[in-house]
Amino acid sequence: MDNYRPVCLTSCLGKVVEHVVRNKFSSHLESILPDNMFGFRPHRSTQDAIVKLTDRIKHLKSLGLKVAAVALDATAAFDTLNHDLIISTLELIGVGPKMIAWTKNFMEDCFQYVEISGSKSDSWSSGIGVGQGRKFSPDLYNIGSLTASFWSNLSEAFLFADDGWNIVFGNTIAECNAKLQTVANDLACWFDLAGLTLNVSKSELIGFGFTPNTIHLDGKSIVPKESVKFLGTWIQSDLNFNQQSAELCNRIRSSAARIRCEGRHFDMQDKRLLYFGWVQGLLSSHSSTTLACLPETELYNIQIACNSAIRAVVGLPRFGKHSVSNIRKNLDIPSVINLRDRRLFEAAWMHFQSNFPSSSAGPLTRAKKNLILPHPVQKGFSGKMIATKLVLAWNKLPILIKEEHCKTAAFAKIKKFVYNF
């Protein structure tokens, strides 16, 4: 094991070793990684990161605190992470000597070269970086960036690979501004020790409900913005999603144009498949964040954009008086609201079915019998949290769905429940 080299991964024995090491290593890594690290981890998507981030901000706002966030960017993070930091972190989290020796061996003698138009440069080996696209690069990067989550005790870190936000909060704007500058200085120090190059020009700063002071680092400034894009989603200072909604509408209308152009020789059923891939795929990827938080007026605008794609599917003109809702039902295409409700119910079932709190002592009430959770506070920012919406969605589900233990069967019942709702 100690003499094992990365090139062995191409052999049958190498694949066995890779499988054993990766599974053992990943299971141990999952047990020590903080909940706010999402990248390269099973059952943790970009949408999960956005939901947890925005819910935390809304919760802090509901407590009357001043909240802001700073996101520092690193240049070529995967290629410049310090090897010594990775090994030291492995030792600190209790990884055994054989795994540490294997990891050292894996990172050594990794040669690189530049190829332009078929001409290759001389190869060289570097003592830094985990290499993008290699088998263990995601796990090694998570280990190397683990200390970033605990580096500053004045902020809460939300990390997805090399994209990360640090949430800062205080009782006053002055306190929040002071913490922002201190946290930025601390993170810049961590970047330097980790061997990463801080890219101040691509770093972001945003305040929620107020405009924070400009942060100064290395003679450069990070100016606050009204909205920042994180993992493909616009997060606004007012915690609304109308900017993301407008972008979603534009992308749906672009997909409608593609259906008309690229699917002009297809029959209706094939164009319906294009709709599910190009339009409903967009809606599903934003169902747990954008759709769940939008008011009815914004959802109506998205439905109008979807109607343009449905017109393209059946070959109707882009304008005219036609009952698109009837056409949509005949094509068995769900509405935007139905799709939002279905995803919320599915997420609620996933969250509470296996983690339902044990019932307290006392008589068997109707609420206990139907597995009803206590309704959360729905005023102000608390009512806008996804966690609140999941509790309300769970309480609306029939008891037969709540007691279903098979995910496939539960989702099938939820689909039928929503579309007949």
Side-chain angles (χ1 to χ4, degrees):
M1 176 71 77
D2 292 349
N3 296 324
Y4 175 70
R5 293 283 179 180
V7 70
C8 294
L9 293 176
T10 59
S11 68
C12 293
L13 178 60
K15 290 180 180 178
V16 173
V17 173
E18 174 198 348
H19 177 78
V20 173
V21 171
R22 186 173 181 83
N23 281 320
K24 280 191 172 183
F25 186 47
S26 296
S27 61
H28 180 76
L29 190 59
E30 281 298 306
S31 66
I32 55 91
L33 287 177
D35 287 339
N36 291 349
M37 286 187 74
F38 294 88
F40 312 119
R41 300 180 67 183
H43 312 299
R44 289 171 177 262
S45 66
T46 57
Q47 294 300 296
D48 293 328
I50 294 167
V51 166
K52 189 142 190 180
L53 170 70
T54 53
D55 265 18
R56 181 56 178 162
I57 294 171
K58 291 171 185 176
H59 175 68
L60 293 170
K61 291 287 292 179
S62 71
L63 299 177
L65 298 172
K66 305 299 180 183
V67 188
V70 58
L72 300 187
D73 183 79
T75 301
F78 272 78
D79 299 323
T80 55
L81 194 64
N82 192 299
H83 286 183
D84 291 336
L85 177 62
I86 297 173
I87 299 302
S88 298
T89 306
L90 284 173
E91 293 172 346
L92 286 172
I93 63 178
V95 173
K98 286 189 176 181
M99 188 66 226
I100 290 176
W102 188 93
T103 304
K104 287 181 179 179
N105 192 275
F106 180 82
M107 292 189 297
E108 289 174 354
D109 298 332
C110 295
F111 293 95
Q112 307 170 48
Y113 62 87
V114 176
E115 181 176 355
I116 301 176
S117 301
S119 300
K120 297 181 180 179
S121 69
D122 294 335
S123 298
W124 73 91
S125 178
S126 174
I128 60 172
V130 294
Q132 297 194 42
R134 299 177 65 205
K135 293 289 184 180
F136 292 92
S137 295
D139 290 326
L140 294 177
Y141 186 84
N142 275 345
I143 293 167
S145 58
L146 176 61
T147 51
S149 301
F150 312 105
W151 192 254
S152 175
N153 58 2
L154 298 178
S155 67
E156 296 180 10
F158 292 80
L159 307 175
F160 195 102
D162 55 347
D163 291 314
W165 273 35
N166 280 75
I167 302 298
V168 173
F169 51 92
N171 293 312
T172 64
I173 293 178
E175 180 185 355
C176 198
N177 280 323
K179 286 184 177 180
L180 279 170
Q181 184 64 58
T182 302
V183 168
N185 292 337
D186 290 344
L187 290 175
C189 176
W190 180 87
F191 273 61
D192 183 57
L193 294 174
L196 303 180
T197 303
L198 180 62
N199 190 343
V200 178
S201 62
K202 287 188 177 181
S203 298
E204 310 278 10
L205 172 64
I206 185 172
F208 300 98
F210 76 101
T211 303
N213 292 340
T214 300
I215 291 177
H216 301 282
L217 284 176
D218 299 330
K220 297 181 181 179
S221 301
I222 305 176
V223 180
K225 297 181 178 179
E226 291 296 318
S227 61
V228 174
K229 205 165 194 178
F230 177 56
L231 301 177
T233 299
W234 285 104
I235 297 179
Q236 300 173 206
S237 178
D238 57 6
L239 291 173
N240 291 324
F241 284 94
N242 53 296
Q243 188 171 349
Q244 185 66 26
S245 172
E247 182 176 291
L248 182 58
C249 286
N250 290 335
R251 294 178 66 184
I252 290 173
R253 293 184 186 279
S254 176
S255 297
R258 288 185 64 193
I259 292 174
R260 286 188 182 276
C261 178
E262 299 177 31
R264 61 186 181 277
H265 299 306
F266 292 1
D267 61 23
M268 190 181 300
Q269 290 303 316
D270 287 337
K271 287 191 283 188
R272 178 177 174 274
L273 292 177
L274 293 180
Y275 177 92
F276 279 102
W278 292 346
V279 177
Q280 189 153 318
L282 285 173
L283 294 174
S284 296
S285 65
H286 291 86
S287 57
S288 60
T289 52
T290 306
L291 298 187
C293 297
L294 288 176
E296 297 294 324
T297 52
E298 290 289 342
L299 292 174
Y300 176 77
N301 292 335
I302 296 176
Q303 184 64 68
I304 294 300
C306 291
N307 288 348
S308 66
I310 294 173
R311 287 172 176 268
V313 169
V314 297
L316 286 175
R318 283 175 287 184
F319 306 99
K321 294 182 179 180
H322 299 89
S323 180
V324 180
S325 59
N326 289 334
I327 297 172
R328 174 176 51 76
K329 291 177 182 178
N330 291 335
L331 291 173
D332 198 21
I333 295 175
S335 68
V336 173
I337 291 179
N338 279 346
L339 183 63
R340 176 204 63 184
D341 291 344
R342 177 183 171 186
R343 299 307 183 205
L344 274 176
F345 285 132
E346 290 174 349
W349 184 89
M350 291 287 291
H351 185 75
F352 292 112
Q353 202 282 329
S354 58
N355 299 302
F356 192 82
S358 57
S359 59
S360 58
L364 181 62
T365 62
R366 185 183 302 175
K368 289 182 181 179
K369 183 178 179 181
N370 291 288
L371 302 180
I372 300 295
L373 291 167
H375 271 37
V377 177
Q378 300 175 51
K379 294 181 179 180
F381 285 103
S382 295
K384 297 179 180 180
M385 293 172 59
I386 299 298
T388 300
K389 298 179 184 296
L390 290 183
V391 173
L392 300 178
W394 170 263
N395 288 342
K396 289 181 180 179
L397 283 174
I399 187 64
L400 291 177
I401 298 178
K402 293 177 182 178
E403 293 179 338
E404 177 61 63
H405 295 286
C406 175
K407 176 182 174 181
T408 303
F411 280 19
K413 291 177 181 178
I414 288 173
K415 181 180 178 181
K416 184 177 181 181
F417 171 69
V418 171
Y419 294 166
N420 294 329
F421 192 64

